[in-house]
Amino acid sequence: MKKLKKRSGILVRAVCVAAVAFLACFAGYAAGTGVLPLNTIEDVAPEAPSFSKNDFVGSLQEALRTGTISDALSLYGSLPADYAEDTDLLLLKASLLISDSRFDDAKKICTALNAKDASNTDAIELLAYIAKLQGNSAERTKQIKLLLAKDAYNPAANMELAQDYFDNKNYTQARLYYKKALVREPDNEDALFGLGQSDYFLGAKDSSKDKEAEETFRKILEKDPAYAPAYSYLGKIASANNEYRRASEQIKKAIEIDPTNYDYFMDYGTYERYLGHYEVAEEAWTKAISIQPDYFLAYAYRAGLYDEQDKYDLALLDYENVLKYNPQYYFANESIGVLAIHQKQWKKARLAFEKCMEMDKTGNISYPLMVTYCYYMEKDKLGAKKFSDKVLRKLDRNSIDYAMLRVFHDEAGEMPLPQKINAIDNSNKKGKMYFYLGLFYDMFGGIEAAKQFYTKVVDMKSPMFFEYRLAEWRMEADAGSIKTN
């Protein structure tokens, strides 16, 4: 799934180092003034300098605009000897090398700059960023510690630590480090966003944090009204407080700014679904699919919506796409099995429940029972018996699971089962077993004999297991006029 906004302390800082070198040096050039900030260039004789950092940076920018990073880097070959060790230009070169994935070359430059001036935090930040990109966590940690030793409130270092805690869902600690980053840079957009996110997630246990998160996101929007992720989180906060209309209004603002964001359309569909606007929700999730057609989640959401609206054929197609793009999505197989049974697509249902068996780690007897049932409905009695026999060999002979599958296998012998089922303490287990006893009669005795057990399931008013839906559907059918076999 697409991220709302790429954030990483050192990552952002490294980009900023390049941007600062570019924009600070290029400010005068771009404005046509030829004036450079005093801290970025040495005094140049007013009469006609043979080399201008302004012009060089302008040439770099033009090379990046019309060519490649390598083209820009090649310009360093023309640098006069007097500028070969210029710190600003070397930091910019290191940033370009990082962008070109030439990490070792960039590291050499930063290491040399650090040796020349140990107080150069920009070089240390870049070294930490390089270590992160290379997966060298020990080196990254070392550089972050160096930054913090020089300044406990170094924004880049604190944002890196904050991101680490955030990624590990330790939002309390993440929040502390984002606040430390904001001491030096109170308007740092990324640190503010991280702080707002942390408060949002802490709001799940402490509702007062929602207000703090909202204030932070609104502060971002005061500075940058086009910051779409802030609107997105204002929507999430509203949704968490069941204010779905306000949530929808906020996410629509994010969509106006960024109309290609998958997550925004997912949220928009969810809010509209809660408002009962099914068509709008469907359109939102369909749009998400068009943005990222090879990601499963929007198919799953839309499938559930179709299912709820009794559009079972469409729901089946979407669940099949869920599995196409995420074969490990367990519940899609179960949903396909249930809907395929409703549509009397017995083979499709059987294959789906067989897949459920493969993925199930709990020994759920529902799946073998449904597979056996589907074999019978496919008129493959031999297949049903061979399959159920294999499963029976692995079950405890004294268990209710064994007893139920045994009667499916034998097509007879149910007499003790009603008493055994009635003695089950777990209501969900009891309901499931009543359903399968009803299904047994439905196959071998007729709907009238099955009704008493289906009724027990439906009367539970507790759809905590998929068999509840099957019992409801069966009871809704014209009693006695539709035979399952």
Side-chain angles (χ1 to χ4, degrees), residues 351-401:
L351 293 174
F353 284 119
E354 285 178 352
K355 194 67 178 177
C356 287
M357 283 185 64
E358 291 176 20
M359 302 175 72
D360 176 43
K361 304 299 182 184
T362 65
N364 189 342
I365 193 60
S366 295
Y367 302 140
L369 285 165
M370 293 310 303
V371 171
T372 304
Y373 167 69
C374 289
Y375 269 120
Y376 279 124
M377 302 314 295
E378 290 178 78
K379 309 300 181 185
D380 186 359
K381 185 180 291 190
L382 181 60
K385 292 185 181 299
K386 283 185 176 180
F387 169 81
S388 55
D389 182 66
K390 288 181 181 179
V391 178
L392 284 167
R393 292 169 186 265
K394 302 175 183 178
L395 296 177
D396 177 0
R397 287 176 172 268
N398 296 316
S399 67
I400 188 69
D401 292 356

Side-chain angles (χ1 to χ4, degrees), residues 336-480:
I336 288 173
V338 171
L339 292 176
I341 283 178
H342 182 273
Q343 303 300 86
K344 295 182 172 55
Q345 298 177 25
W346 309 116
K347 183 176 180 180
K348 178 177 286 189
R350 173 171 59 80
L351 293 174
F353 284 119
E354 285 178 352
K355 194 67 178 177
C356 287
M357 283 185 64
E358 291 176 20
M359 302 175 72
D360 176 43
K361 304 299 182 184
T362 65
N364 189 342
I365 193 60
S366 295
Y367 302 140
L369 285 165
M370 293 310 303
V371 171
T372 304
Y373 167 69
C374 289
Y375 269 120
Y376 279 124
M377 302 314 295
E378 290 178 78
K379 309 300 181 185
D380 186 359
K381 185 180 291 190
L382 181 60
K385 292 185 181 299
K386 283 185 176 180
F387 169 81
S388 55
D389 182 66
K390 288 181 181 179
V391 178
L392 284 167
R393 292 169 186 265
K394 302 175 183 178
L395 296 177
D396 177 0
R397 287 176 172 268
N398 296 316
S399 67
I400 188 69
D401 292 356
Y402 180 92
M404 186 61 71
L405 187 56
R406 183 85 250 175
V407 301
F408 272 52
H409 177 276
D410 295 344
E411 304 177 47
E414 60 81 26
M415 285 303 292
L417 277 177
Q419 292 84 354
K420 287 185 177 181
I421 296 171
N422 192 51
I424 296 174
D425 291 330
N426 184 287
S427 60
N428 281 335
K429 180 77 170 181
K430 181 183 291 187
K432 288 168 64 170
M433 289 297 110
Y434 275 133
F435 168 79
Y436 287 109
L437 189 53
L439 193 63
F440 167 77
Y441 273 116
D442 213 344
M443 286 191 290
F444 304 116
I447 185 63
E448 291 302 324
K451 271 185 177 180
Q452 60 177 312
F453 301 110
Y454 287 151
T455 299
K456 288 180 181 291
V457 179
V458 174
D459 285 349
M460 292 178 69
K461 308 286 185 192
S462 178
M464 299 298 292
F465 46 92
F466 71 79
E467 292 88 349
Y468 180 93
R469 295 189 73 195
L470 297 176
E472 268 193 324
W473 284 334
R474 194 67 185 98
M475 291 294 288
E476 288 169 1
D478 292 336

Side-chain angles (χ1 to χ4, degrees), residues 156-219:
N158 280 290
M159 286 173 67
E160 275 295 291
L161 293 176
Q163 189 66 52
D164 288 346
Y165 282 114
F166 187 91
D167 290 342
N168 287 309
K169 296 183 171 53
N170 188 339
Y171 304 118
T172 300
Q173 286 296 105
R175 183 178 189 276
L176 291 175
Y177 283 102
Y178 281 125
K179 287 181 77 69
K180 288 184 72 174
L182 289 164
V183 170
R184 291 277 183 270
E185 298 180 0
D187 293 327
N188 185 303
E189 205 169 70
D190 294 295
L192 285 169
F193 185 68
L195 175 62
Q197 277 188 309
S198 299
D199 280 333
Y200 165 75
F201 286 109
L202 288 170
K205 293 183 178 179
D206 180 359
S207 58
S208 68
K209 292 298 182 186
D210 281 348
K211 184 177 180 181
E212 294 183 45
E214 185 171 348
E215 289 174 354
T216 300
F217 293 128
R218 292 198 182 281
K219 181 177 180 180

